[in-house]
Amino acid sequence: METTSERELDHIPTIKEKGTNVYKPEDIKRWGVERFLEVVAPKEPFRFGIEFTDDENRRMDEVLEEERNRK
């Protein structure tokens, strides 16, 4: 059985450390899903650097509503 100190020593590399965002399922299972997400999940929403005007946001909302009504 794994002790807490062994688990603490089992380092979870961040995406930056790994250089990739691909993790093996067996590694995630070994680390534990909640612990894995605490380490690699973003703490804040992503900022893409794209800002839309109020008119652009309104138009996108209209287009989305039109799409929903087609179904």
Side-chain angles (χ1 to χ4, degrees), residues 15 21 40-50:
I15 292 171
N21 64 351
V40 301
K43 306 299 184 239
E44 299 176 1
F46 286 127
R47 302 280 183 225
F48 291 102
I50 299 173

Side-chain angles (χ1 to χ4, degrees), residues 12 27 29 39-40 44 46 53-54 58 61 63 65:
I12 300 173
D27 289 337
K29 286 178 185 175
V39 171
V40 301
E44 299 176 1
F46 286 127
T53 66
D54 289 340
R58 182 187 48 73
D61 289 341
V63 169
E65 187 63 31

Side-chain angles (χ1 to χ4, degrees), residues 7 12 28 31-41:
R7 186 173 178 171
I12 300 173
I28 296 170
W31 296 321
V33 174
E34 286 189 32
R35 181 171 170 248
F36 170 75
L37 291 175
E38 285 174 14
V39 171
V40 301

Side-chain angles (χ1 to χ4, degrees), residues 1 8 11 14 16 21 25-28 31-32 34-35 39 52 57-58 61 67 69-71:
M1 181 168 210
E8 288 171 357
H11 176 69
T14 63
K16 191 176 276 189
N21 64 351
E26 58 267 22
D27 289 337
I28 296 170
W31 296 321
E34 286 189 32
R35 181 171 170 248
V39 171
F52 297 101
N57 281 324
R58 182 187 48 73
D61 289 341
E67 288 296 317
N69 291 332
R70 287 186 193 176
K71 295 179 180 180

